[in-house]
């Protein structure tokens, strides 16, 4: 269900120009996304270089080659000094075991060997569906597959690494400066958010990892986006065209830079798109409220995901406001955050609408079967 919220954030790129021109917001969205895609393609072309082994620019390839010497190490290697990853981080990842210690090395090898192919494939996509297939197949699924194999200790290793980072590169920026910045961050809440994210995506329902299910949901969502921007009927449940009026309110809130208004407008769009009419709620529940989604909602509550995200926002925005007077420390209130997060829980979001029955029924079915799941998070 989080996918609909992502959809709305993408649409935020469209301004009220649509209303001034008396043109459909979804048509304007299509035009705007075409312009954004052209900008991405231009940036991708600048990053690519056919004359290098990696297919990336020579400067990037040279840096990644140097970085590889730091992050590719043996599980029993003894570190005395290291330029980029640092000995403390190397030891943290070595403690993950035979396969998992290679995660940093595998990331850099991907960037050196495969990232240029991903960029070319992404540059050549012609639709949201094509783009989502490239993103899920080449980035999201492989990333989650690697992370989930190591999920038990990955968060500990990552944040111990951040807290005790001792790489030689710190001599250039100042170790004291780094320690001061890290000391001001709410790393505990950040770690809890990472643990929750791994729990949600690495959870297994039946014999399927949930990240595989979420990948399929992302592609279905992308198809709906394409149909919406191509002018599907408002009665078509396989598109989001029916949120046209709510979209106009969203545009207005976006133009006014009113964060509370923006979040409330998104809430209204989510409610319309997911809960109304009943036949469309049935389609949404079938395609997006799988047992992995039900488990995800419950795991988010169990791990207090909303509370920890709120802690991070308060921490980061508070720090930024001390640096710049232009930053509002209260830009997103806890109340606004809760409204936003409620759009991921259709059983709550659709309360009072006929469509809620579809989600309640699916939730009840999934929770009844929970004893059969591998629920180890």
């Amino acid at each position: 269900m989080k996918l609909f919220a992502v959809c709305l954030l993408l649409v935020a790129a469209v301004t009220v120009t649509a209303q001034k021109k008396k043109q459909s917001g979804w048509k304007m969205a299509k035009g705007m996304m075409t312009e954004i895609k052209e900008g991405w393609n231009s940036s991708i072309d600048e990053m690519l270089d056919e004359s290098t082994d990696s297919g990336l620019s020579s400067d990037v390839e040279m840096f990644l080659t140097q970085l590889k010497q730091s992050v590719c190490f043996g599980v029993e290697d003894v570190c005395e000094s290291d330029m980029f990853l640092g000995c403390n981080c190397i030891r943290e990842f070595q403690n993950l075991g035979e396969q998992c210690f290679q995660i940093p090395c595998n990331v850099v090898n991907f960037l050196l060997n495969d990232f240029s192919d991903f960029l070319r494939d992404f540059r050549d996509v012609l639709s949201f569906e094509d783009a989502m297939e490239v993103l899920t197949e080449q980035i999201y699924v492989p990333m989650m597959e690697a992370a989930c194999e190591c999920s038990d200790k990955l968060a500990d290793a990552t944040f111990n690494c951040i807290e005790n980072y001792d790489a030689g590169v710190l001599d250039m920026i100042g170790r004291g400066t780094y320690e001061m910045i890290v000391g001001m961050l709410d790393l505990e809440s950040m770690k809890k958010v990472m643990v929750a994210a791994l729990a949600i995506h690495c959870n297994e329902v039946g014999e399927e990892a949930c990240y595989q299910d979420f990948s399929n949901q992302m592609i279905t969502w992308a198809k709906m986006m394409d149909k919406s921007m191509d002018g599907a009927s408002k009665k078509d449940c396989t598109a989001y065209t029916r949120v046209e009026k709510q979209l106009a309110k969203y545009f207005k809130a976006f133009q006014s830079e009113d964060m509370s208004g923006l979040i409330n407008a998104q809430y209204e769009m989510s409610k319309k798109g997911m809960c109304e009419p009943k036949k469309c709620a049935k389609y949404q529940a079938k395609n997006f409220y799988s047992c992995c989604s039900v488990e995800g909602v419950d795991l988010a509550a169990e791990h207090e995901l909303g509370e920890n995200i709120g802690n991070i926002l308060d921490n980061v925005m508070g720090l930024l406001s001390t640096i710049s007077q232009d930053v509002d420390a209260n830009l997103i209130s806890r109340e606004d955050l809760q409204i936003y997060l409620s759009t991921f829980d259709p059983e709550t979001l659709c309360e009072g609408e006929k469509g809620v029955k579809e989600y309640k029924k699916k939730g009840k079915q999934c929770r009844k079967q929970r004893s059969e799941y591998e629920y180890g998070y």
Side-chain angles (χ1 to χ4, degrees):
M1 305 315 296
K2 60 178 74 68
L3 303 175
F4 190 72
V6 175
C7 156
L8 303 177
L9 291 175
L10 286 173
V11 174
V14 187
T15 66
V16 289
T17 308
Q19 298 168 53
K20 293 179 179 178
K21 292 185 176 182
K22 302 297 182 181
Q23 190 176 14
S24 161
W26 286 111
K27 287 184 179 179
M28 285 298 297
K30 184 175 183 178
M32 181 63 70
M33 292 312 299
T34 299
E35 292 180 14
I36 292 173
K37 180 63 167 54
E38 290 173 354
W40 286 346
N41 287 353
S42 178
S43 298
I44 288 172
D45 287 338
E46 292 178 4
M47 295 174 65
L48 295 173
D49 186 342
E50 300 295 337
S51 68
T52 64
D53 292 337
S54 66
L56 302 173
S57 69
S58 57
D59 289 343
V60 171
E61 180 176 275
M62 182 167 49
F63 170 72
L64 290 174
T65 301
Q66 293 175 340
L67 185 60
K68 181 176 178 178
Q69 297 174 9
S70 177
V71 301
C72 294
F73 46 83
V75 70
E76 296 182 358
D77 287 354
V78 177
C79 177
E80 295 182 357
S81 66
D82 184 77
M83 184 63 181
F84 294 109
L85 189 57
C87 290
N88 287 337
C89 291
I90 287 174
R91 284 188 284 271
E92 288 292 339
F93 280 96
Q94 285 174 325
N95 289 336
L96 292 179
E98 285 294 333
Q99 294 298 321
C100 299
F101 83 92
Q102 298 179 3
I103 286 179
C105 184
N106 290 340
V107 170
V108 174
N109 279 333
F110 168 78
L111 294 174
L112 277 170
N113 302 325
D114 302 308
F115 190 54
S116 61
D117 289 336
F118 162 74
L119 290 175
R120 279 188 286 269
D121 289 343
F122 192 75
R123 179 189 60 190
D124 295 340
V125 300
L126 300 176
S127 65
F128 261 103
E129 182 181 359
D130 291 344
M132 195 59 70
E133 286 180 348
V134 171
L135 285 168
T136 55
E137 291 175 8
Q138 298 187 35
I139 301 294
Y140 172 69
V141 169
M143 178 185 71
M144 293 312 307
E145 185 175 31
C148 291
E149 289 181 0
C150 314
S151 60
D152 288 349
K153 299 179 180 178
L154 186 57
D156 285 335
T158 300
F159 282 90
N160 287 342
C161 171
I162 293 171
E163 289 186 71
N164 302 298
Y165 188 59
D166 63 345
V169 71
L170 286 184
D171 293 330
M172 301 178 186
I173 64 174
R175 293 179 184 272
T177 300
Y178 176 83
E179 290 172 359
M180 180 186 70
I181 293 172
V182 169
M184 296 170 68
L185 295 175
D186 186 354
L187 294 182
E188 184 63 27
S189 291
M190 294 179 184
K191 178 180 175 180
K192 289 178 179 178
V193 168
M194 181 176 179
V195 169
L198 289 171
I200 291 167
H201 291 265
C202 300
N203 188 31
E204 293 186 4
V205 173
E207 297 181 356
E208 182 182 39
C210 284
Y211 62 80
Q212 294 284 1
D213 178 57
F214 295 151
S215 173
N216 294 332
Q217 290 185 34
M218 293 176 194
I219 294 171
T220 300
W221 164 80
K223 292 178 182 178
M224 295 181 70
M225 281 291 292
D226 285 332
K227 293 189 69 172
S228 300
M229 290 187 290
D230 287 340
S233 167
K234 292 182 180 180
K235 296 181 179 180
D236 187 350
C237 292
T238 66
Y240 289 121
T241 324
R242 60 187 176 279
V243 305
E244 191 76 47
K245 291 182 179 179
Q246 291 76 17
L247 190 60
K249 293 181 180 180
Y250 190 76
F251 289 158
K252 186 175 181 179
F254 183 72
Q255 185 189 41
S256 67
E257 300 182 0
D258 174 11
M259 184 59 69
S260 290
L262 193 66
I263 290 174
N264 278 287
Q266 179 172 321
Y267 176 88
E268 290 183 20
M269 276 201 296
S270 298
K271 196 175 184 72
K272 178 67 175 179
M274 294 163 64
C275 311
E276 304 174 34
K278 183 179 179 180
K279 67 174 183 177
C280 290
K282 184 175 183 178
Y283 179 84
Q284 288 285 124
K286 178 181 177 181
N287 287 278
F288 298 114
Y289 205 48
S290 64
C291 287
C292 277
S293 299
V294 174
E295 289 284 310
V297 171
D298 293 346
L299 283 166
E302 179 181 320
H303 286 268
E304 299 181 332
L305 183 59
E307 179 69 21
N308 287 304
I309 291 175
N311 292 342
I312 294 169
L313 287 173
D314 289 346
N315 175 234
V316 173
M317 298 307 296
L319 291 175
L320 292 176
S321 68
T322 64
I323 298 172
S324 172
Q325 294 181 345
D326 295 330
V327 177
D328 181 3
N330 300 310
L331 180 64
I332 302 178
S333 69
R334 290 293 179 118
E335 181 180 357
D336 288 338
L337 178 60
Q338 289 304 314
I339 291 172
Y340 171 75
L341 293 175
S342 71
T343 63
F344 300 122
D345 178 6
E347 292 187 53
T348 300
L349 177 68
C350 299
E351 197 67 57
E353 304 293 340
K354 291 182 179 179
V356 74
K357 293 181 180 180
E358 300 298 330
Y359 298 108
K360 295 282 190 183
K361 179 171 66 176
K362 192 63 176 287
K364 184 177 180 179
Q365 291 173 349
C366 292
R367 293 181 181 103
K368 186 177 180 180
Q369 300 169 17
R370 178 166 295 172
S371 60
E372 301 176 13
Y373 302 162
E374 183 178 330
Y375 186 67
Y377 293 92

